[in-house]
Amino acid sequence: MDEQAQRAKELFTLYYGSLLHMHREGKSEEYRSYNISKEIEIEWFQEMIQKHSKDLSIRNWDAVASLSSIAKNYQDSSMVEKVASFAARNIMSADSIVKLMFAEGMVEIIRSNKEVISKDLLFKACKVTVEILEGIISLPLVIDPGHELEQFQIKDKRSLNSRAKQDVQAVMNILN
């Protein structure tokens, strides 16, 4: 890959493919000057999806947040499938904060991809998300070291439950 294409890819991945964010940071003119084709951008989106899907972890929610950012700019059913499958297998052993952040990321990914996924996948992903949120509500508050409630505008278990209930409602709105 030549130097210009490499720089274009750096900008593209830094802003998750969002021309709007590039514009806000004063980088859209530079990016456009590289004349990257839609086909190449699609390859880059798919590379980012693969990378962040492999990085999914119960230790934090960075990968799901990155996938959520990508989903706002590029829709791909594999993103929903990978996140829902990972969550179904792993997320219930995470702390309450990770569960909430992961579920909120899933809500955004599902919402952004709703038009490109099958009904079966939509229902599966929504079911997993609601199960995570209901687990937050019904189980005791568990916080790992380094995850402070105040960092997430949460005061106590009651405010955590309230936010989880709002997210359940968001999932129901997606289904309607």
Side-chain angles (χ1 to χ4, degrees):
M1 185 179 295
D2 71 13
E3 206 172 293
Q4 285 188 335
Q6 185 62 40
R7 174 63 181 153
K9 186 175 184 179
E10 286 172 16
L11 288 171
F12 190 83
T13 55
L14 177 65
Y15 296 102
Y16 300 104
S18 172
L19 292 174
L20 176 64
H21 287 108
M22 285 183 217
H23 177 73
R24 286 183 185 159
E25 298 292 321
K27 302 293 184 184
S28 63
E29 290 298 319
E30 178 186 357
Y31 179 75
R32 287 187 179 136
S33 74
Y34 298 123
N35 295 316
I36 302 300
S37 69
K38 286 291 177 197
E39 292 79 18
I40 297 295
E41 288 181 343
I42 289 170
E43 284 179 31
W44 291 347
F45 274 125
Q46 291 171 346
E47 286 175 16
M48 286 190 295
I49 291 168
Q50 288 298 323
K51 179 203 179 301
H52 295 296
S53 294
K54 287 178 184 170
D55 292 342
L56 289 170
S57 169
I58 64 166
R59 302 227 184 272
N60 66 45
W61 54 89
D62 292 341
V64 78
S66 294
L67 288 168
S68 177
S69 294
I70 293 166
K72 293 174 184 166
N73 302 298
Y74 179 73
Q75 288 69 53
D76 187 322
S77 63
S78 71
M79 193 179 335
V80 178
E81 177 63 41
K82 290 173 182 178
V83 170
S85 293
F86 176 85
R89 290 188 318 270
N90 299 292
I91 205 67
M92 294 313 279
S93 60
D95 80 355
S96 300
I97 297 296
V98 171
K99 286 178 188 175
L100 182 67
M101 296 297 112
F102 206 95
E104 288 181 344
M106 288 180 68
V107 169
E108 290 307 314
I109 291 168
I110 295 164
R111 182 181 291 130
S112 295
N113 285 283
K114 182 180 177 182
E115 301 302 318
V116 300
I117 60 177
S118 68
K119 290 286 184 197
D120 286 343
L121 181 53
L122 174 65
F123 291 131
K124 174 187 174 190
C126 287
K127 180 180 181 222
V128 169
T129 306
V130 168
E131 286 172 354
I132 294 167
L133 294 165
E134 288 177 344
I136 292 168
I137 294 165
S138 66
L139 296 172
L141 177 63
V142 176
I143 304 173
D144 289 343
H147 293 165
E148 303 300 325
L149 291 176
E150 296 79 27
Q151 291 176 293
F152 308 100
Q153 294 76 44
I154 300 170
K155 294 178 186 169
D156 53 17
K157 173 69 170 153
R158 197 158 95 218
S159 63
L160 177 75
N161 287 355
S162 175
R163 191 152 148 190
K165 287 175 186 174
Q166 289 174 344
D167 293 332
V168 169
Q169 186 57 50
V171 173
M172 295 306 147
N173 291 342
I174 291 170
L175 289 170
N176 293 331

